[in-house]
């Protein structure tokens, strides 16, 4: 898998990094600080819906 840092990760001290990998029908997610631990994967439409929901409901700074 080709992992990349999510654009939704915190840019601070690097302590809140999430990496994602795009698969043919799923999106895989892992903690960049523990790459050998378990990953989560979601069907692409479900992941896309989650991101859209989060964008629409992000509190103002």
């Amino acid at each position: 898998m080709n992992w990349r840092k999510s654009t939704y990760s915190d840019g601070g001290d690097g302590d809140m990094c999430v990496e994602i990998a795009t698969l043919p029908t799923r999106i895989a997610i892992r903690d960049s600080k523990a790459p050998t631990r378990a990953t989560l994967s979601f069907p692409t439409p479900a992941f896309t819906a989650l991101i859209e929901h989060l964008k629409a409901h992000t509190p103002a700074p």
Side-chain angles (χ1 to χ4, degrees):
M1 278 189 262
N2 290 328
W3 293 96
R4 64 181 175 85
K5 183 177 176 183
S6 172
T7 57
Y8 297 98
S9 290
D10 181 63
D13 296 330
D15 59 347
M16 295 181 68
C17 295
V18 173
E19 294 177 326
I20 62 172
T22 303
L23 305 170
T25 61
R26 301 183 74 76
I27 301 294
I29 305 169
R30 72 178 181 185
D31 181 347
S32 65
K33 296 181 306 304
T36 60
R37 289 192 162 184
T39 61
L40 299 173
S41 73
F42 300 93
T44 301
F47 183 77
T48 301
L50 171 64
I51 296 301
E52 292 303 318
H53 177 81
L54 292 173
K55 285 180 183 179
H57 296 88
T58 301

